[in-house]
């Protein structure tokens, strides 16, 4: 299918969501407001340089809103893909987040395998691919993002064989034995193999995919290279032979690891007064612990609250001098498992405050909403200990944002060993979130190091800061795109 008449682009980013939010003003007027994140910040210069296009769903099923393509102030073309309420329920809430999400996070909850959801997933991926085929210039570079669009590379390869296609998975990729539960496993693998390069956060995720590709008969041609030959691009400077799969059409599909990171410039610079103001609001405690998560069952929020409660109960922590701030951003609130997780978390918050709080002095400060970036940055800077206790996480950028806000070496990070960030942030206090004693021990060690071993605590935090400072989101994006250019035919020059 050749590009259609109208604006086309040499570089196309495809994601489930456009980087904008719909805002309706009191007078009834409507506006699209930018919602920049790390990915947007990293790719915006490339999109602007190449008159690029971002294809995605605008986040609304309201048919009354205009869904015509439009340009941002920097000249980036935003190309909306419409989703109906049924699409949202079956493609997004259903197959993407009640089937794939729990499967890819090691079955923390049981995935639901429903054929109507799979049908919707296929249809929406086809719709996205058709829109990309319209806007991509001849030999353009297309970068597909994340688990909602895993069929898109294969469909697009059939529609537009001239394109250079990259795919990046922003969540973990499970062990082959788990993935093979999926009734549509061959179709997903064939879809991914439409790309020239498939990127993962960690070598272990890439190895899981390579193992899977060998096990699924008829889905993936032959495998070349050994998993231990994977290079971590954007991290390792020595380039070794790359692992690849020979797809059924004879193309060599490269598989590599590219650890994502954060946009340092977007965090801002809280002032000393900003930090002091937060500590005053919290009663000027000796120790402020902070959790910042989507309210998701993979994040281990309930387990960290239970660990905190037991440390208070055993008088390891002083409730008069310690507070925990938990920011839990609303997420997928129509899905049953998320509703249940919210109820359990909020019950635990109430119980802990009932047991250990005082009038006007809760020991847990709980916010079920997102914070503006500047206020969140001030919270990071004010906190003494960051708690990241995810059962499974592709990377976890919150841990990196906290480290970035402590250039003076203050603070400590408690980090799940099952978060992808643990491979890079090895100087954190690592814990097993499935083991409450391990979580308690890591929290205690972080508190003890700050109060009794400040030099060691400072060295740890400086190491975390340096890692994040030298490996930012721009390095990640440039590493992937350079690798894609080197390992495919055609595409932008």
């Amino acid at each position: 299918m050749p590009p259609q008449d109208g604006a086309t682009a040499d570089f196309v980013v495809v994601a489930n969501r456009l980087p904008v939010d719909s805002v309706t003003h009191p007078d009834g007027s409507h506006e699209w407001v930018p919602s920049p994140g790390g990915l947007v910040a990293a790719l915006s210069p490339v999109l602007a340089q190449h008159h690029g296009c971002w294809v995605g769903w605008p986040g609304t099923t309201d048919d009354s809103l205009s869904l015509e393509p439009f340009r941002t102030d920097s000249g980036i073309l935003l190309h909306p893909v419409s989703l109906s309420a049924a699409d949202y329920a079956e493609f997004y809430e259903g197959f993407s987040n009640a089937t794939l999400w729990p499967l890819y996070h090691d079955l923390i909850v049981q995935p639901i395998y429903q054929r109507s959801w799979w049908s919707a997933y296929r249809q929406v991926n086809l719709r996205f691919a058709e829109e990309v085929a319209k806007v991509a210039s001849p030999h353009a570079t297309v970068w597909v993002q994340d688990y909602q669009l895993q069929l898109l590379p294969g469909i697009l390869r059939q529609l537009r064989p001239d394109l250079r296609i990259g795919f990046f998975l922003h969540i973990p990729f499970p062990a082959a034995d788990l993935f093979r539960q999926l009734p549509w496993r061959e179709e997903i693998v064939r879809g991914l193999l439409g790309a020239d390069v498939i990127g993962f956060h960690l070598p272990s995720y890439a190895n899981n995919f390579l193992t899977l590709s060998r096990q699924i008969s008829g889905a993936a041609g032959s495998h070349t290279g050994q998993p231990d030959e994977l290079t971590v691009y954007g991290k390792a400077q020595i380039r070794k032979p790359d692992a690849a799969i020979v797809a059924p059409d004879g193309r060599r599909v490269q598989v590599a690891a590219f650890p994502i990171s954060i946009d340092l410039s977007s965090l801002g610079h809280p002032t000393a007064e900003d930090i002091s103001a937060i500590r005053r609001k919290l009663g000027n405690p000796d120790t402020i612990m902070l959790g910042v998560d989507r309210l998701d069952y993979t994040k281990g929020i309930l387990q960290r609250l239970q660990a905190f409660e037991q440390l208070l109960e055993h008088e390891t922590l002083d409730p008069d001098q310690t507070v925990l701030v938990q920011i839990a951003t609303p997420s997928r609130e129509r899905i049953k498992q998320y509703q249940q997780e919210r109820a359990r978390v909020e019950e635990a918050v109430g119980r802990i405050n009932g047991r250990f709080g005082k009038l006007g002095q809760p020991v847990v400060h709980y916010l079920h909403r997102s914070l503006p970036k500047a206020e969140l940055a001030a919270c990071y800077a004010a906190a003494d200990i960051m708690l990241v206790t995810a059962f499974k996480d592709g990377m976890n950028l919150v841990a990196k944002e906290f480290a970035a806000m402590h250039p003076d070496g203050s603070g400590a990070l408690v980090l799940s060993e099952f978060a992808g960030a643990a491979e890079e942030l090895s100087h954190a206090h690592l814990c097993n979130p499935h083991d409450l004693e391990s979580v308690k021990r890591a929290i205690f060690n972080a508190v003890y190091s700050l109060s009794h071993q400040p030099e060691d605590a400072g060295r740890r935090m400086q190491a975390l800061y340096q890692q994040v400072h030298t490996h930012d989101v721009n390095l990640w994006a440039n590493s992937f795109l350079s690798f894609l250019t080197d390992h495919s035919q055609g595409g932008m020059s």
Side-chain angles (χ1 to χ4, degrees):
M1 178 187 295
Q4 305 297 305
D5 293 338
T8 60
D10 294 330
F11 179 49
V12 181
V13 172
V14 197
N16 178 59
R17 282 293 305 273
L18 285 176
V20 292
D21 292 320
S22 171
V23 174
T24 301
H25 298 292
D27 63 1
S29 62
H30 169 263
E31 183 181 11
W32 293 109
V33 177
S35 57
L39 182 63
V40 184
L43 297 181
S44 289
V46 185
L47 284 161
Q49 176 186 352
H50 295 280
H51 307 289
C53 177
W54 189 300
V55 177
W57 176 54
T60 179
T61 58
D62 186 349
D63 294 336
S64 67
L65 298 179
S66 172
L67 289 177
E68 292 301 315
F70 58 99
R71 291 192 180 273
T72 66
D73 293 340
S74 59
I76 298 170
L77 179 65
L78 299 184
H79 189 94
V81 179
S82 64
L83 293 183
S84 67
D87 291 331
Y88 181 80
E90 296 190 334
F91 155 75
Y92 182 74
E93 293 182 322
F95 196 81
S96 294
N97 290 310
T99 301
L100 293 178
W101 181 266
L103 177 65
Y104 283 35
H105 288 83
D106 292 354
L107 312 184
I108 294 171
V109 303
Q110 184 64 36
I112 300 171
Y113 303 124
Q114 188 164 311
R115 187 162 296 278
S116 63
W117 292 356
W118 165 246
S119 178
Y121 187 82
R122 292 176 58 199
Q123 289 302 315
V124 171
N125 272 253
L126 173 60
R127 192 179 313 156
F128 269 79
E130 290 172 341
E131 295 301 320
V132 174
K134 294 177 185 177
V135 300
S137 302
H139 306 289
T141 293
V142 177
W143 193 2
V144 184
Q145 308 290 329
D146 223 2
Y147 65 105
Q148 301 95 343
L149 301 174
Q150 291 175 108
L151 298 180
L152 197 155
I155 300 170
L156 193 59
R157 179 67 61 190
Q158 296 179 45
L159 296 176
R160 293 287 305 277
D162 61 301
L163 298 177
R164 171 188 293 156
I165 304 171
F167 177 88
F168 189 84
L169 185 69
H170 290 267
I171 64 175
F173 194 86
D177 285 349
L178 291 182
F179 186 91
R180 283 164 48 212
Q181 292 186 15
L182 185 67
W184 308 282
R185 57 198 189 183
E186 290 89 354
E187 291 92 331
I188 293 288
V189 173
R190 281 198 295 268
L192 291 170
L193 291 179
D196 295 294
V197 172
I198 305 171
F200 301 88
H201 288 304
L202 304 181
S204 59
Y205 304 158
N207 288 338
N208 286 345
F209 180 76
L210 291 170
T211 300
L212 175 73
S213 71
R214 292 196 300 269
Q215 292 181 357
I216 295 182
S217 175
S222 61
H223 165 264
T224 64
Q226 297 300 317
D228 60 3
E229 294 176 339
L230 284 169
T231 301
V232 183
Y233 289 91
K235 180 178 179 183
Q237 299 303 315
I238 300 174
R239 296 172 72 97
K240 301 177 183 178
D242 305 299
I245 300 168
V246 178
D249 61 2
R251 292 177 303 105
R252 286 176 57 86
V253 179
Q254 302 292 327
V255 178
F258 307 84
I260 198 171
S261 194
I262 60 174
D263 175 26
L264 295 167
S265 64
S266 72
L267 290 175
H269 303 281
T271 65
E273 177 53 35
D274 294 332
I275 297 169
S276 296
I278 288 177
R279 297 193 74 95
R280 283 196 304 271
K281 291 177 182 177
L282 297 173
N284 284 316
D286 290 343
T287 305
I288 297 174
M289 300 183 186
L290 175 65
V292 178
D293 313 84
R294 286 188 309 103
L295 214 172
D296 190 295
Y297 54 77
T298 65
K299 300 299 184 181
I301 301 172
L302 179 61
Q303 284 64 31
R304 92 178 52 138
L305 288 169
Q306 291 171 339
F308 183 66
E309 181 177 19
Q310 290 187 18
L311 290 169
L312 292 170
E313 183 178 279
H314 298 151
E315 299 184 354
T316 306
L317 297 178
D318 182 353
D320 291 330
Q321 296 300 330
T322 309
V323 299
L324 169 58
V325 178
Q326 178 61 58
I327 300 166
T329 305
S331 178
R332 303 165 189 165
E333 295 195 288
R334 300 199 311 181
I335 298 176
K336 180 180 179 181
Q337 292 92 337
Y338 288 78
Q339 295 170 350
Q340 293 172 337
E341 184 70 8
R342 177 181 177 181
R344 287 190 288 259
V345 165
E346 294 182 351
E347 188 274 334
V349 170
R351 184 183 65 247
I352 295 168
N353 281 331
R355 293 184 65 191
F356 302 103
K358 297 179 180 179
L359 286 175
Q361 189 181 329
V363 70
V364 179
H365 295 254
Y366 172 78
L367 298 177
H368 183 237
R369 58 184 174 85
S370 59
L371 293 184
K373 200 73 173 177
E375 188 175 351
L376 182 58
C379 288
Y380 285 140
D384 300 294
I385 299 173
M386 187 81 210
L387 304 180
V388 178
T389 54
F391 290 125
K392 190 75 174 180
D393 219 332
M395 178 53 66
N396 194 284
L397 298 182
V398 162
K400 294 188 173 186
E401 289 177 340
F402 174 76
M405 297 309 298
H406 289 264
D408 59 352
S410 62
L413 172 64
V414 172
L415 178 61
S416 166
E417 63 188 68
F418 298 110
E423 289 207 4
E424 296 176 273
L425 305 182
S426 57
H427 288 83
H429 297 272
L430 299 180
C431 68
N432 175 3
H434 300 275
D435 177 4
L436 208 59
E437 294 302 316
S438 175
V439 179
K440 289 160 59 179
R441 187 164 53 249
I443 294 174
F444 171 79
N445 289 341
V447 173
Y448 185 85
S449 70
L450 290 176
S451 58
H452 292 84
Q453 299 172 327
E455 290 186 2
D456 177 66
R459 282 193 295 270
R460 281 174 172 266
M461 204 64 207
Q462 285 284 1
L464 298 178
Y465 173 79
Q466 287 299 324
Q467 169 65 30
V468 172
H469 189 73
T470 55
H471 297 77
D472 65 1
V473 73
N474 296 302
L475 178 61
W476 168 78
N478 292 334
S479 297
F480 185 95
L481 292 173
S482 295
F483 188 83
L484 178 59
T485 298
D486 293 342
H487 291 86
S488 59
Q489 300 295 319
M492 69 185 187
S493 58

